């Protein structure tokens, strides 16, 4: 008698986390939540940890029980893990789910690798990831699309070397204090300062230049901080609007990840019609940057002036159970597990569209 072997048709999802950014530990916590939520009846999971040096490791544990930044420390997680090559990853996974924030995770670099491998993956493509990671390009594209952004200008390490005091004078002429000084490519408020005077501006530039060779200067917006989540490829769905109620001067690293009196309010209490307007604007912002899969768009609402400003788009926002992105969907009736499932579906959908370019050949 012939025995038919039932093929294992479960797709294997490679979850990548950690990585070479300041947001390494946060990424581990986000990945722990994603892994916990994936439907194991439908998918197998391969956890791939990337060390702070950039080495790929096969993680033996399922990350469950991690909840604080301290839990997510590398030493414990990577202890006893075997190294892994990109070829191993390619052979052993059907789909890539990067849960990495900041440079080398959210900025198009790893997305480019998935494109090279011809592997379907979660979230924004290469260009949308790279551009949304870059605060200068993001603001320029939105401005040219006629979308509202605050006054801004930028400089480079080279311009500062050539004539630092001239650059400082030019910036002061273009933007009034207080000014936000930020490295163009970063995240988690790393390297950002709010400056009120010339000496502070000079120090702020040096600080930002430690993280990137390009620096953006922004007019301070006096407004409420709002966030909207987008989900979809060509027809993105728009979430509720959430508000960050910050306990400190601004939403800095500590208030983001150590509490610091920060509260999330979902949905934000807004005057009639404003939430709809913000949702529409967030969708335009997502489309302008060619967002796919999912993203979180952050905005300011200056209630006194009745003005809304786009702030930034996060291609891979925080993904813990307590993060704004999944909570915004929950408020719309989409549970965390279903959100993860939808993100995987959207990754496959994009991969299978006729317009998607196929890899020319495999090395
Ligand atoms: N132009 C601005 N006006 C007012 N507050 C700002 C401005 N830019 C940044 N902030 C504050 O600084 C925080 C971090 O800046 P953001 O551009 O979001 O950087 P990151 O990519 O690190 O999240 C914001 O959440 C907000 O609290
Ligand atoms: Mg931000």
């Amino acid at each position: 008698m012939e025995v038919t072997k039932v093929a294992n048709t479960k797709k294997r999802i490679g979850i990548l986390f950690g990585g070479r950014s300041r947001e390494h530990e946060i990424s581990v916590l986000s990945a722990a939540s994603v892994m916990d939520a994936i439907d194991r009846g439908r998918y197998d999971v391969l956890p791939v940890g990337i060390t702070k040096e950039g080495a790929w490791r096969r993680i033996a544990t399922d990350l469950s029980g991690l909840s604080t930044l301290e839990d997510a420390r590398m030493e414990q997680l990577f202890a006893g893990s075997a190294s892994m090559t990109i070829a191993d990853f390619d052979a052993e996974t059907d789909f890539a789910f990067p849960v990495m924030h900041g440079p080398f995770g959210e900025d198009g670099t790893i997305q480019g690798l998935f494109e090279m491998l011809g592997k379907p993956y979660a979230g924004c493509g290469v260009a949308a990831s790279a551009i949304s990671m870059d605060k200068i390009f993001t603001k320029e594209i939105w401005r040219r699309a006629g979308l509202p952004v605050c006054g801004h200008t930028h400089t480079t390490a080279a311009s500062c070397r050539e004539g630092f005091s001239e650059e400082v004078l030019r910036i002061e002429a273009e933007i009034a204090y207080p000014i936000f000084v930020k490295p163009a490519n970063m995240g988690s408020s790393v390297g950002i300062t709010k400056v009120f005077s010339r000496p502070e501006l000079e120090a702020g530039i040096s600080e930002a230049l430690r993280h990137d060779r390009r620096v953006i200067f922004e007019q301070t917006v006096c407004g409420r901080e709002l966030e909207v989540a987008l989900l979809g490829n060509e027809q993105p769905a728009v979430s509720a609007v959430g508000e960050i109620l910050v306990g400190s001067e601004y939403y800095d690293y500590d208030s983001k990840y150590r509490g610091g009196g920060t509260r999330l309010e979902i949905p934000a209490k807004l005057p009639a019609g404003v939430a709809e307007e913000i949702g529409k604007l967030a969708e335009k912002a997502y489309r302008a940057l060619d967002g796919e899969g999912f993203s979180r768009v952050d905005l300011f609402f200056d209630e006194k002036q009745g003005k809304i400003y786009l702030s930034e788009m996060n291609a891979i926002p925080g993904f813990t159970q307590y993060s704004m992105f999944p909570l915004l969907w929950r408020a719309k009736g989409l549970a965390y597990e279903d959100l993860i499932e939808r993100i995987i579906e959207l990754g496959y959908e994009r991969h299978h569209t006729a317009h998607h370019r196929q890899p020319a050949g495999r090395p």
Side-chain angles (χ1 to χ4, degrees):
M1 198 181 75
E2 206 179 326
V3 180
T4 345
K5 243 186 162 180
V6 178
N8 182 5
T9 53
K10 269 201 216 172
K11 297 284 189 203
R12 196 140 197 244
I13 312 288
I15 301 199
L16 299 109
F17 57 89
R20 281 189 274 173
S21 96
R22 263 291 298 268
E23 295 160 285
H24 179 102
E25 283 82 9
I26 297 133
S27 158
V28 174
L29 294 183
S30 289
S33 293
V34 172
M35 280 186 58
D36 197 41
I38 284 191
D39 180 355
R40 302 302 171 100
R42 295 191 62 179
Y43 303 107
D44 285 328
V45 167
L46 176 71
V48 180
I50 301 182
T51 66
K52 287 181 178 171
E53 290 73 41
W56 292 38
R57 297 285 184 77
R58 200 184 289 273
I59 301 297
T61 78
D62 65 1
L63 307 185
S64 60
L66 300 185
S67 64
T68 66
L69 287 176
E70 281 65 34
D71 290 341
R73 291 221 183 286
M74 295 186 42
E75 301 79 50
Q76 302 155 29
L77 214 67
F78 289 89
S81 65
S83 67
M84 181 176 209
T85 65
I86 290 169
D88 295 333
F89 176 80
D90 189 24
E92 293 175 37
T93 60
D94 299 298
F95 185 95
F97 200 137
V99 193
M100 293 192 288
H101 311 303
F104 301 111
E106 191 180 357
D107 65 351
T109 49
I110 203 155
Q111 289 75 12
L113 174 67
F114 302 144
E115 293 284 349
M116 299 278 294
L117 297 173
K119 191 167 296 287
Y121 59 97
C124 284
V126 174
S129 302
I131 294 168
S132 61
M133 191 72 230
D134 188 299
K135 295 185 197 309
I136 299 170
F137 290 148
T138 298
K139 288 236 159 51
E140 276 306 294
I141 287 175
W142 282 343
R143 191 180 62 78
R144 282 167 194 234
L147 302 176
V149 291
C150 67
H152 59 277
T153 185
H154 67 271
T155 191
T156 61
S159 309
C160 289
R161 266 197 310 274
E162 278 163 29
F164 189 63
S165 36
E166 289 83 345
E167 273 301 86
V168 168
L169 289 175
R170 178 184 64 79
I171 294 154
E172 283 183 329
E174 288 187 43
I175 299 178
Y177 291 108
I179 301 171
F180 269 87
V181 185
K182 311 176 182 180
N185 279 276
M186 254 289 151
S188 283
S189 304
V190 174
I192 296 183
T193 47
K194 182 179 181 179
V195 303
F196 296 80
S197 63
R198 186 173 299 171
E200 286 182 7
L201 174 60
E202 290 169 351
I205 296 173
S206 310
E207 170 61 18
L209 284 175
R210 286 179 50 223
H211 302 279
D212 197 351
R213 64 191 168 75
R214 291 157 66 250
V215 177
I216 186 168
F217 304 90
E218 294 180 10
Q219 191 83 67
T220 296
V221 179
C222 296
R224 293 163 63 181
E225 281 201 70
L226 304 173
E227 303 190 342
V228 181
L230 285 302
L231 183 64
N233 294 332
E234 260 145 26
Q235 300 290 331
V238 182
S239 77
V241 178
E243 179 163 14
I244 311 278
L245 297 155
V246 192
S248 53
E249 171 79 18
Y250 64 94
Y251 201 25
D252 57 11
Y253 188 87
D254 278 355
S255 41
K256 275 180 186 166
Y257 304 113
R258 299 187 189 280
T262 301
R263 262 191 331 113
L264 308 184
E265 185 146 271
I266 304 168
K269 294 194 181 73
L270 293 165
V274 173
E276 290 69 24
E277 197 183 330
I278 286 173
K280 280 191 195 130
L281 190 55
E283 185 184 337
K284 283 185 191 159
Y286 182 75
R287 288 180 188 270
L289 299 187
D290 195 27
E292 287 178 298
F294 63 94
S295 274
R296 197 190 73 219
V297 170
D298 299 350
L299 316 91
F300 295 109
F301 174 43
D302 181 339
E303 214 162 1
K304 278 199 199 112
Q305 317 247 359
K307 280 193 181 156
I308 303 163
Y309 297 91
L310 287 167
S311 173
E312 59 165 347
M313 183 167 107
N314 293 274
I316 307 187
F319 247 105
T320 71
Q321 301 270 2
Y322 313 101
S323 302
M324 183 65 106
F325 180 79
L327 292 176
L328 287 173
W329 289 114
R330 178 161 301 174
K332 274 238 159 174
L334 188 65
Y336 192 97
E337 292 73 19
D338 300 327
L339 173 64
I340 300 301
E341 176 76 43
R342 183 76 190 119
I343 286 171
I344 296 171
E345 278 170 17
L346 285 165
Y348 272 112
E349 186 186 297
R350 178 209 13 218
H351 188 74
H352 291 134
T353 54
H355 303 292
H356 192 74
R357 56 183 185 276
Q358 296 300 316
R362 299 287 294 274

